[in-house]
Amino acid sequence: MRQILFLLLCFYCHVAHATSSVYDFDIKHWTSADGLSSNSVRAITRDEQGYIWFGTLYGLNRFDGKNFDVFTTELYPTLASNTITQLLTDSEGNIWIGTKAGLSLLNPSTLKFERLPIFSEVTSLLEVAPGEVWVAADQLFKVSAGKVSRVEHIKSVVSQLAQTDEQLWVSGSEFLYQRDHAGTWQQFSLPPELAQNPIYDLAWTSSGLLIASEVGLYRLQSDGTITLQLLPDNATAAVYRVLEDQSGAMWLSSHRKLFYQFPQQPWQVVTSTELGSVPWFSSLFQDHEQNIWLSSFSDGVYLASRSQIRRILPGLEPVIRSVSLNPQGKLLFASQRAVGTLESDGTYRPYINEALLKDQTVHDLYWRDNQHLWLGLDRGLFEYNPIDNQLTPVFKELTGQIVKVVQAATDGGVWVGALQGLYHIKLAEPNDVTSTATLTHLPINAELESRQITSLTQNQYQLFFGTSRGFYRLQENKLTRLGIGSALYNAYILAAQLLQDGTIMVSTLDDGIFIQVPGQAWSRLDSGNGLLHGPALSFYEHQQSDWVWISTHKGIVRLWRDSIKDAATTGFRIEEVLSPFDRQMGSFSSRCCNGAGQAKVVHWQEQLWYPTLRGLVAVPEQVNTAAQRQLNPLIKQVSAQQQYVIGALQLRQVLAQHERNITINYAAFEFNRPDSVEFRYQLIGFDDDWHKVGTRRQAVYTNLPPGHFVFQLEAKYVHQTWQDAQQATLDVVIPRAFHETLLYRLLWLLLVVCVLYAAFWLYRKNALSKQEQLSRLVLQRTQELENTNLKLNELNEQLSQLTHRDTTTGLRNLRFMQEQLPKDIEHFQRNRQALLQQGKTIALLLLELNDHDRILQQYGSKTADSILQQVAALLSRETRGSDYVVRYSASHFILVFRDISVHQVSQYGRRLVEQLAATEFNLLEGNSIKCHVTAGYALYPLPLLGGQLLSWEVSIEMAALALAQLHAKGVINKVATLQFDEQVDAFEFEESRELAVQINRLIAEGLITLEHG
């Protein structure tokens, strides 16, 4: 951006009442280097959305504050010509485009152009009434309801149009025409020199009708005559545009000059010398925010916007280093060369001249009384005596030292911060500055790592001061270095401020601002959590508004004091007042507050005054910041294989089916600070989180699936949090292609099903054919197989009976027991713990029919078998469902009791024996007989000392030995078991191969007893 140096022709500044000046305008400049299609801009307008449109010598440009969108005949054939001469936005929001080759109409919401049947160069456009536009294109045309017609009253060539509430003005080749509201025409003769030269503009102002022409500025007098008016510089030159803005100020664009006049003030002028380029403006336009747009014939576009922040250039030296107030209430400031005052009426008066300062920088200003001013300079502390105009050192001990701090102490003395440490001046009397004053170099300086004092702040209880290496607190003559364990400990301190509530704020050169609220730990404000524009140079606590003002080299911000306490949870509330992007007329961008020492800010005339490299900057204490302005983001366009223009009120955009890669262009209307706007966006339904893209104004997505998405856009200023951001949304719908629809998939599924069914049908038909061929062969073998199967079934049944059944009694045989009993024992072992806790076991009862041999000898085998069958039937009937009976030998049966309680085994066995002994068994001859029965049982497992017997064969043998003991004793119709003593070792007993011998030995020893009942 080219340097702009707007200076005042006449500067009569009334500070208290904020009179208007060209310095009150912030200036922005755009050229072809910024994207403008041509530096020759001829027309300006604004549409209802907020875009600014520029008509150039090569195309129509749409501007959103950052980017230019260019429209030319190559892409838009219905645009009459690339050479744009006039632009007009009518009451319906349409833009009329006058060109060298005729007229076009544009709908800015859809970007659709329409060519109208006017083919001459358009020199003026005017909306006379809603829906009715008049066009000056050699002849005078009227366009109403889309129809173009000639205004027949004027036959000559016309050039410019203007309108007031009741009158319409038309400039012709020889006459100036006027039409009143009743349609009555009146004409006024043009002066010969005016009739022979181009007329560039007609403007109705508070002083009447002005005519801007190639030969100067003319005015229509009350008597109907048209007379030449001298320009404010008393010259005559070409005038191109006249504008009276909404504040009543006048703007005149002349050849190589721009004139500005606020009501009741002198004219001010800007020439090529001050501007650095030719101020040759072809058009002047004021938008809805009262910004003034100036289009140049050869140097692009300028924007002049009224600023609350005023810049004043008193004296001849623009660089101001320190500010203060004198006892008379005047603003005292020091430049690089001199010291002067600014009075309340804006009058500048020199105070200390350049010869006395000798190029020394004034770091601080301190009035000891109404007459004596102390200055902290590069080479010591000096006192200025206005009577003899002398500048003399106050103390020789400070000579040669940089004195950055001169501040009153709470005890009536003065603190001096110099290169060699902190000093205290004690005066004999409050108003005495004679030799009786004593200077003390404090003993605490020996404890400082660096003695260069850079800042100081205090209250009646404690003193804080900063050095080039560390920050200290002095309280009751005790020095404490603050910030141990943090970057503050070794930081270069630039400024410090003790707030009224006891909060201390410290600015460092490289590590941001450190803040400590009483009773809390140090917190830090830096670029990571809201600090803008680099290190802070000064603080100012404004009591009436609860703001703490912070100045830097590049801008001014203010911190809401109440947000400091809760900053850890809610963050700091910071508002930007002056940014690096603000560029006032007559100043450079990114140049702000460069004060030296402590005199970097002062409150005067309800404004805060800061020294800068370009004069003094005055900021109202009730300034309206950017945070109070609404930032409206908008979505401009969705680009894919085709372009989708998003209208102002459009909330939904449906794309073509094949669109999968899209680019979304967006913007936010901020013309003064476009680079201070940050964006973030999210495509809901595709993105998981926000994309924070800074100042980038384009979102790109690739390989999007079909579906419904919501594009959310948020915009904010850099100093704001995202909670303060403004939002715009757009529903984006990507339709499914036919091959992605459910119907398409169902059709494919149906096809697959049909193919599978056809394959299955063919397979089944082939199988049925083969089955029919085999069925005949099967029928031939069926009868033989049936007969064979019957025989096999009979044999299988017999084999099964022979395998697991006793053929005489029908009971299970020994083979069955050998297969089944291990399974029962395995089941018991798996559930052993639970069964033992329930007192359950497996019992093997060996029962002998004692009279079997006698019956066999006496009655024969058939009778003996019949008796066995009756016994088997009784045993089967009397046993439990979970138990089974096995034919063990000719006269022996084994009953296997599964999961039976230990105490029930003896009872159950006695009941069976007694029942068998009492039963009369039928003989074949018809008589009956009773039989003697003896039984022995054993448990599995057998509980013994050291373990348990785990072999079921041993249990059966133990039952047989118990039965043998009964026979040896001659006992019948009883059931017995062997009861082991607790001393019997299970392992030794189980390893004995001669079990009977071992049992008999243990019985003899009394370790085994026979229990029967």
Side-chain angles (χ1 to χ4, degrees):
M1 186 180 296
R2 190 176 298 177
Q3 175 182 353
I4 301 179
L5 297 174
F6 277 95
L7 297 177
L8 297 179
L9 176 65
C10 300
F11 179 62
Y12 296 100
C13 175
H14 193 285
V15 179
H17 302 291
T19 55
S20 182
S21 163
V22 290
Y23 282 116
D24 296 341
F25 289 89
D26 289 335
I27 191 73
K28 296 283 290 181
H29 185 204
W30 295 274
T31 66
S32 58
D34 302 302
L36 194 64
S37 63
S38 171
N39 281 337
S40 182
V41 183
R42 301 302 176 90
I44 308 173
T45 191
R46 180 184 184 274
D47 65 20
E48 293 181 341
Q49 287 183 267
Y51 289 105
I52 301 295
W53 294 79
F54 302 113
T56 74
L57 286 186
Y58 186 75
L60 180 66
N61 292 250
R62 185 179 69 171
F63 186 49
D64 59 20
K66 183 68 175 179
N67 298 317
F68 292 90
D69 301 314
V70 180
F71 303 84
T72 62
T73 56
E74 287 78 7
L75 297 176
Y76 301 90
T78 50
L79 178 61
S81 170
N82 286 333
T83 304
I84 312 298
T85 57
Q86 294 292 323
L87 293 174
L88 170 69
T89 301
D90 64 19
S91 57
E92 297 178 356
N94 297 314
I95 297 179
W96 298 75
I97 307 167
T99 73
K100 280 282 188 180
L103 183 66
S104 293
L105 184 63
L106 169 64
N107 184 337
S109 297
T110 62
L111 297 184
K112 301 295 185 182
F113 288 84
E114 178 185 354
R115 184 73 162 88
L116 297 177
I118 296 177
F119 304 101
S120 300
E121 178 181 357
V122 177
T123 55
S124 185
L125 293 168
L126 181 65
E127 185 177 23
V128 176
E132 182 180 342
V133 174
W134 284 29
V135 182
D138 288 344
Q139 305 298 319
L140 184 59
F141 298 91
K142 179 175 67 174
V143 183
S144 179
K147 296 182 178 180
V148 179
S149 59
R150 285 277 306 274
V151 179
E152 299 296 340
H153 180 80
I154 301 177
K155 305 297 184 180
S156 63
V157 175
V158 298
S159 57
Q160 297 298 321
L161 306 172
Q163 186 178 20
T164 63
D165 294 337
E166 298 182 353
Q167 298 170 333
L168 175 65
W169 300 89
V170 181
S171 65
S173 58
E174 297 180 353
F175 297 97
L176 176 67
Y177 299 92
Q178 175 197 348
R179 193 191 74 162
D180 58 22
H181 65 281
T184 303
W185 289 88
Q186 185 179 359
Q187 63 185 29
F188 305 91
S189 297
L190 296 176
E193 67 277 11
L194 187 59
Q196 297 172 6
N197 288 280
I199 293 177
Y200 298 120
D201 193 15
L202 294 180
W204 183 265
T205 68
S206 56
S207 59
L209 182 68
L210 297 179
I211 304 172
S213 73
E214 181 66 26
V215 292
L217 181 66
Y218 287 79
R219 183 190 306 275
L220 177 64
Q221 303 295 340
S222 58
D223 60 359
T225 60
I226 299 175
T227 59
L228 177 66
Q229 303 291 309
L230 293 178
L231 295 179
D233 59 353
N234 294 320
T236 300
V239 178
Y240 305 105
R241 283 292 183 270
V242 178
L243 173 66
E244 184 176 28
D245 64 25
Q246 297 178 19
S247 65
M250 289 293 298
W251 299 77
L252 290 179
S253 170
S254 178
H255 181 65
R256 299 181 178 273
K257 292 180 182 179
L258 175 68
F259 298 97
Y260 170 79
Q261 183 190 41
F262 195 75
Q264 311 303 321
Q265 290 190 22
W267 282 93
Q268 302 169 44
V269 63
V270 177
T271 67
S272 58
T273 303
E274 292 93 19
L275 184 61
S277 62
V278 178
W280 196 356
F281 297 114
S282 59
S283 181
L284 305 175
F285 175 79
Q286 186 173 29
D287 62 20
H288 295 175
E289 286 78 29
Q290 299 188 13
N291 298 318
I292 304 297
W293 295 86
L294 306 97
S295 63
S296 170
F297 281 102
S298 59
D299 202 23
V301 176
Y302 293 84
L303 168 64
S305 55
R306 181 63 63 89
S307 174
Q308 305 170 84
I309 300 169
R310 306 183 65 247
R311 187 178 299 272
I312 298 175
L313 300 177
L316 300 176
E317 171 59 47
V319 179
I320 309 298
R321 301 308 303 268
S322 56
V323 292
S324 181
L325 293 179
N326 68 7
Q328 291 76 35
K330 300 177 183 180
L331 184 66
L332 183 72
F333 59 91
S335 67
Q336 287 288 83
R337 299 179 180 179
V339 177
T341 61
L342 192 67
E343 301 188 12
S344 59
D345 61 355
T347 303
Y348 166 72
R349 300 185 186 278
Y351 192 72
I352 302 176
N353 59 34
E354 180 180 358
L356 292 179
L357 286 181
K358 299 179 181 179
D359 295 329
Q360 294 189 84
T361 299
V362 178
H363 297 279
D364 206 354
L365 299 163
Y366 176 72
W367 286 90
R368 183 63 190 91
D369 53 32
N370 293 340
Q371 298 296 327
H372 298 89
L373 172 65
W374 286 1
L375 296 91
L377 303 179
D378 291 336
R379 293 189 289 273
L381 178 64
F382 289 79
E383 178 181 294
Y384 176 68
N385 188 342
I387 298 176
D388 54 9
N389 193 30
Q390 294 294 321
L391 193 65
T392 58
V394 181
F395 296 99
K396 293 182 179 180
E397 294 88 342
L398 297 175
T399 302
Q401 296 190 51
I402 299 177
V403 177
K404 291 191 175 182
V405 177
V406 185
Q407 185 172 328
T410 56
D411 61 358
V414 179
W415 293 107
V416 176
L419 185 63
Q420 294 300 321
L422 186 63
Y423 296 82
H424 183 267
I425 300 175
K426 184 177 182 181
L427 302 175
E429 295 181 3
N431 296 323
D432 187 6
V433 291
T434 64
S435 58
T436 57
T438 58
L439 177 71
T440 302
H441 188 252
L442 299 182
I444 62 171
N445 291 313
E447 304 178 34
L448 303 179
E449 182 176 353
S450 170
R451 296 185 180 181
Q452 181 180 353
I453 308 301
T454 58
S455 61
L456 185 144
T457 183
Q458 64 179 336
N459 59 18
Q460 58 181 341
Y461 305 107
Q462 52 191 342
L463 170 74
F464 295 90
F465 63 91
T467 70
S468 61
R469 194 166 180 85
F471 187 68
Y472 296 86
R473 176 179 61 203
L474 181 61
Q475 187 174 18
E476 297 180 353
N477 295 323
K478 181 181 179 181
L479 184 67
T480 305
R481 188 170 182 175
L482 303 179
I484 297 177
S486 68
L488 176 62
Y489 189 78
N490 292 315
Y492 189 107
I493 308 303
L494 295 176
Q497 178 70 40
L498 183 60
L499 306 184
Q500 291 294 322
D501 61 358
T503 300
I504 182 70
M505 300 181 64
V506 185
S507 172
T508 64
L509 180 63
D510 300 313
D511 302 296
I513 298 174
F514 290 83
I515 305 174
Q516 187 179 47
V517 178
Q520 297 185 13
W522 286 97
S523 60
R524 188 171 174 180
L525 172 59
D526 53 26
S527 58
N529 59 353
L531 182 62
L532 302 176
H533 314 325
L537 299 180
S538 73
F539 300 108
Y540 181 83
E541 182 182 15
H542 191 253
Q543 296 295 324
Q544 287 74 24
S545 63
D546 292 332
W547 289 102
V548 178
W549 293 70
I550 304 171
S551 69
T552 71
H553 280 302
K554 295 185 177 182
I556 302 171
V557 299
R558 58 182 184 177
L559 170 65
W560 184 251
R561 187 171 53 193
D562 292 343
S563 71
I564 297 176
K565 297 180 181 179
D566 302 324
T569 56
T570 60
F572 294 98
R573 178 184 170 186
I574 297 177
E575 292 186 0
E576 189 175 40
V577 177
L578 180 64
S579 80
F581 310 110
D582 293 327
R583 178 184 178 187
Q584 286 183 287
M585 289 188 179
S587 69
F588 301 99
S589 60
S590 303
R591 300 288 181 89
C592 180
C593 310
N594 64 308
Q598 292 219 133
K600 302 169 186 174
V601 59
V602 69
H603 183 266
W604 185 54
Q605 298 280 344
E606 299 181 352
Q607 299 174 93
L608 293 175
W609 295 76
Y610 292 92
T612 76
L613 293 178
R614 195 68 182 171
L616 291 168
V617 165
V619 184
E621 58 185 2
Q622 302 297 332
V623 65
N624 294 323
T625 64
Q628 298 169 301
R629 299 196 298 267
Q630 187 173 6
L631 187 65
N632 295 319
L634 77 160
I635 300 170
K636 298 169 58 176
Q637 181 175 278
V638 179
S639 302
Q641 295 186 17
Q642 57 180 307
Q643 308 294 327
Y644 303 92
V645 178
I646 307 303
L649 302 177
Q650 184 175 346
L651 300 176
R652 177 185 173 91
Q653 180 63 56
V654 180
L655 307 182
Q657 289 183 347
H658 58 278
E659 304 285 17
R660 292 294 184 269
N661 303 325
I662 64 173
T663 299
I664 302 176
N665 296 301
Y666 51 84
F669 293 124
E670 173 54 68
F671 299 104
N672 295 301
R673 299 179 179 180
D675 293 324
S676 67
V677 179
E678 291 183 331
F679 297 91
R680 71 175 183 178
Y681 62 80
Q682 181 182 23
L683 188 63
I684 298 177
F686 185 79
D687 291 331
D688 296 328
D689 201 356
W690 290 95
H691 295 278
K692 296 181 180 179
V693 294
T695 60
R696 182 159 61 88
R697 304 188 176 209
Q698 190 179 76
V700 179
Y701 289 95
T702 59
N703 298 322
L704 288 175
H708 178 269
F709 307 95
V710 178
F711 182 75
Q712 284 190 346
L713 172 69
E714 289 189 351
K716 71 174 186 67
Y717 292 101
V718 291
H719 62 277
Q720 293 178 314
T721 63
W722 286 111
Q723 287 74 17
D724 301 323
Q726 304 296 320
Q727 187 178 93
T729 61
L730 177 68
D731 291 353
V732 180
V733 180
I734 302 179
R736 297 180 183 275
F738 179 70
H739 65 277
E740 297 173 320
T741 61
L742 179 61
L743 176 61
Y744 178 82
R745 296 175 182 177
L746 290 176
L747 291 176
W748 267 109
L749 178 62
L750 180 61
L751 178 60
V752 172
V753 170
C754 291
V755 171
L756 293 177
Y757 179 77
F760 175 75
W761 182 81
L762 292 174
Y763 171 79
R764 182 173 178 80
K765 183 176 181 181
N766 187 33
L768 290 175
S769 177
K770 292 181 179 180
Q771 185 177 359
E772 290 178 359
Q773 295 176 6
L774 293 174
S775 61
R776 291 188 293 270
L777 180 61
V778 171
L779 289 176
Q780 296 175 4
R781 307 294 183 187
T782 300
Q783 192 64 39
E784 297 176 3
L785 291 175
E786 288 180 356
N787 296 334
T788 303
N789 287 335
L790 290 175
K791 293 179 180 181
L792 288 174
N793 290 334
E794 292 175 359
L795 293 175
N796 289 333
E797 183 65 26
Q798 293 176 5
L799 180 60
S800 176
Q801 293 294 330
L802 291 174
T803 302
H804 295 98
R805 294 286 180 178
D806 179 62
T807 57
T808 301
T809 62
L811 297 175
R812 306 286 188 181
N813 58 18
L814 184 58
R815 177 175 293 178
F816 173 79
M817 186 182 71
Q818 291 174 341
E819 295 180 1
Q820 182 62 34
L821 188 54
K823 298 178 183 178
D824 297 334
I825 290 176
E826 182 182 358
H827 170 74
F828 181 85
Q829 292 295 345
R830 288 197 304 268
N831 302 280
R832 178 178 179 180
Q833 184 176 0
L835 293 173
L836 291 178
Q837 290 177 355
Q838 298 174 16
K840 293 185 177 182
T841 185
I842 295 177
L844 303 176
L845 178 65
L846 179 61
L847 189 146
E848 180 183 6
L849 189 63
N850 297 334
D851 298 328
H852 178 265
D853 293 339
R854 180 177 62 80
I855 294 172
L856 182 61
Q857 293 177 1
Q858 184 177 352
Y859 297 102
S861 60
K862 292 185 178 181
T863 300
D865 291 343
S866 176
I867 296 299
L868 291 174
Q869 292 172 0
Q870 295 179 55
V871 171
L874 188 147
L875 292 176
S876 299
R877 184 175 64 252
E878 294 300 327
T879 55
R880 302 179 308 169
S882 60
D883 305 332
Y884 54 89
V885 184
V886 176
R887 174 82 181 278
Y888 188 67
S889 64
S891 58
H892 291 80
F893 300 90
I894 291 180
L895 280 76
V896 180
F897 300 105
R898 295 185 287 189
D899 300 340
I900 189 171
S901 298
V902 176
H903 66 276
Q904 292 181 348
V905 177
S906 177
Q907 300 175 5
Y908 196 63
R910 285 196 302 270
R911 184 174 62 79
L912 285 176
V913 170
E914 291 173 357
Q915 192 170 1
L916 286 171
T919 301
E920 294 184 354
F921 297 100
N922 298 321
L923 300 175
L924 295 177
E925 294 83 0
N927 298 323
S928 60
I929 186 174
K930 290 187 177 181
C931 297
H932 298 110
V933 180
T934 307
Y937 73 88
L939 303 178
Y940 177 85
L942 294 175
L944 300 175
L945 179 64
Q948 296 176 333
L949 296 180
L950 301 178
S951 173
W952 61 272
E953 291 88 349
V954 173
S955 297
I956 293 177
E957 192 169 357
M958 294 293 296
L961 289 174
L963 185 61
Q965 290 293 324
L966 289 178
H967 286 318
K969 293 180 180 293
V971 178
I972 61 174
N973 295 332
K974 297 293 183 180
V975 61
T977 185
L978 296 175
Q979 185 68 36
F980 287 79
D981 190 270
E982 294 180 354
Q983 301 179 12
V984 179
D985 192 309
F987 297 102
E988 294 180 359
F989 179 77
E990 197 170 29
E991 290 177 356
S992 176
R993 296 184 179 181
E994 297 295 336
L995 185 61
V997 177
Q998 181 74 357
I999 291 296
N1000 292 330
R1001 181 178 65 80
L1002 294 175
I1003 291 175
E1005 294 176 357
L1007 297 175
I1008 296 179
T1009 59
L1010 181 68
E1011 293 184 358
H1012 60 82

